[in-house]
Amino acid sequence: MGQMAAIATTLFLCIGLIFVWKSVKIVPQSEVYVIERFGKYIQTLDAGFNVIIPFLDIVRHEVSILEQQLPEFKISAITQDNVEIDLEATVFFRVLKAAESVYRIDNINSALRTAATSVIRSASGKLDLDGMQSSRDSMNAEIAEHLKAAAEIWGIEVTRTEITDVLVDERTKESQRAQLNAERLRRATVAEAEGDKTTKELSADAELYTAQREAEAIRVKADAQAYSIEVEAKANAEQTRLLADAISNNGQPAIDFEIMKRQVDGLAKIASSENTKTIIVPTDVTATLGSIKTLLEGLKK
């Protein structure tokens, strides 16, 4: 009897350990467990230590909550300018609601690929070929936004989409090369025309600057001449005033002095002239000089 009791005790301990082992679930950080009881969804176990009812509760699905990437797939599409192209794309996503991801859709990857194909074809039809190649970022954002709404019912969050490559046939490539060469020629022509225009503008500016400086020099010269004439006129006026004062004070002797002074100045100019070969001196020049002396004495008085 003692041996049977020991065996029973050992059996109960083993069964207890099995129950404990079956009731405890340690969930990794990167996963969640979907639990079913009698074939019906009961709960989702998060990361860490969890307890369930053994043999009744079963871990039906172990779902990864890490961000995942669909394998790259190729999509045939037609652009707005009726060019047939192939797009290589991929989708990044992660599971937010594990129960919905396993009970509402059978194959997440296949469903996302089908939805992405439809959205990408619709988005590519709104752009021409050049826009498709240059506006890839905006197109990726538009595709991700539309896919996000479709994936919410599956408990999935679409984090981003990527158009990794745009493939065209050889005929389209040749057309693009011809267009590129034409564009380069156009840019070269425009650059040459702009350079010629700039050269002419600089030349015109230089000529205008030269003309302005010459006009400024003429104006300065004219101002100087005007100032010289003004000074000379003032000097003459002052001389005339002084002469008038002398005439007023001394009378006829001052007049005679001025006349004789001018005669002497005239003789001096004739004598200093280079073209003068012969100088005719009046016979009364000595008398004239003597008269000047007499006049000066009179003026001093």
Side-chain angles (χ1 to χ4, degrees):
M1 292 297 291
Q3 187 177 2
M4 292 296 294
I7 293 173
T9 302
T10 302
L11 181 62
F12 276 113
L13 287 175
C14 290
I15 293 173
L17 290 175
I18 292 173
F19 265 85
V20 172
W21 181 73
K22 285 288 187 180
S23 63
V24 174
K25 295 296 178 183
I26 306 298
V27 182
Q29 182 67 39
S30 60
E31 295 181 347
V32 293
Y33 288 174
V34 177
I35 307 299
E36 291 183 357
R37 182 181 299 166
F38 301 115
K40 182 180 179 181
Y41 168 73
I42 295 299
Q43 63 178 331
T44 300
L45 301 182
D46 295 325
F49 181 84
N50 295 274
V51 178
I52 61 174
I53 300 175
F55 302 105
L56 295 181
D57 296 345
I58 301 173
V59 178
R60 182 63 64 185
H61 302 280
E62 297 179 3
V63 181
S64 173
I65 58 175
L66 296 176
E67 186 175 13
Q68 304 176 54
Q69 176 186 356
L70 286 182
E72 286 189 358
F73 55 94
K74 187 180 294 185
I75 303 169
S76 178
I78 298 177
T79 62
Q80 190 179 34
D81 51 351
N82 295 323
V83 178
E84 187 174 354
I85 59 174
D86 290 328
L87 301 175
E88 290 186 353
T90 186
V91 178
F92 295 84
F93 67 96
R94 65 189 182 97
V95 176
L96 294 181
K97 299 178 182 179
E100 295 179 0
S101 69
V102 297
Y103 292 119
R104 287 192 175 184
I105 191 70
D106 181 45
N107 189 325
I108 293 177
N109 290 357
S110 178
L112 280 176
R113 178 172 176 173
T114 301
T117 299
S118 176
V119 173
I120 290 172
R121 282 178 176 167
S122 176
S124 62
K126 300 176 183 178
L127 299 173
D128 56 17
L129 181 58
D130 293 338
M132 183 75 65
Q133 294 174 332
S134 61
S135 305
R136 199 173 297 180
D137 291 340
S138 60
M139 185 177 178
N140 287 334
E142 180 182 355
I143 294 169
E145 182 179 356
H146 285 81
L147 273 180
K148 188 178 296 183
E152 282 181 355
I153 61 174
W154 302 327
I156 299 170
E157 179 189 18
V158 176
T159 55
R160 68 185 186 277
T161 61
E162 293 290 342
I163 304 297
T164 57
D165 200 0
V166 179
L167 306 176
V168 296
D169 55 22
E170 288 299 324
R171 185 175 180 180
T172 304
K173 287 182 180 179
E174 291 177 359
S175 299
Q176 285 182 314
R177 292 190 191 102
Q179 182 180 1
L180 181 60
N181 291 334
E183 179 65 18
R184 287 175 178 171
L185 180 60
R186 185 191 69 81
R187 290 181 180 177
T189 303
V190 170
E192 183 179 358
E194 289 180 351
D196 184 55
K197 177 184 176 183
T198 302
T199 301
K200 290 181 178 178
E201 288 178 349
L202 292 176
S203 178
D205 290 342
E207 292 178 358
L208 177 61
Y209 178 78
T210 302
Q212 289 177 342
R213 301 307 296 177
E214 290 177 354
E216 181 69 16
I218 293 173
R219 185 186 66 80
V220 171
K221 184 177 180 181
D223 290 343
Q225 290 178 349
Y227 179 75
S228 176
I229 293 172
E230 181 181 359
V231 170
E232 184 178 359
K234 288 182 178 179
N236 291 333
E238 181 65 18
Q239 183 180 5
T240 303
R241 186 187 65 79
L242 294 175
L243 182 60
D245 291 343
I247 293 172
S248 175
N249 295 328
N250 296 285
Q252 187 60 37
I255 297 175
D256 294 338
F257 172 76
E258 182 63 24
I259 293 172
M260 292 179 184
K261 178 183 176 183
R262 290 177 184 262
Q263 289 177 351
V264 173
D265 289 339
L267 291 175
K269 290 179 180 180
I270 293 174
S272 62
S273 176
E274 295 180 357
N275 296 325
T276 303
K277 302 297 182 177
T278 303
I279 301 176
I280 300 173
V281 180
T283 55
D284 58 346
V285 65
T286 305
T288 301
L289 294 175
S291 300
I292 291 174
K293 181 179 179 181
T294 304
L295 288 173
L296 285 174
E297 293 176 354
L299 288 173
K300 288 181 180 179
K301 294 179 180 180

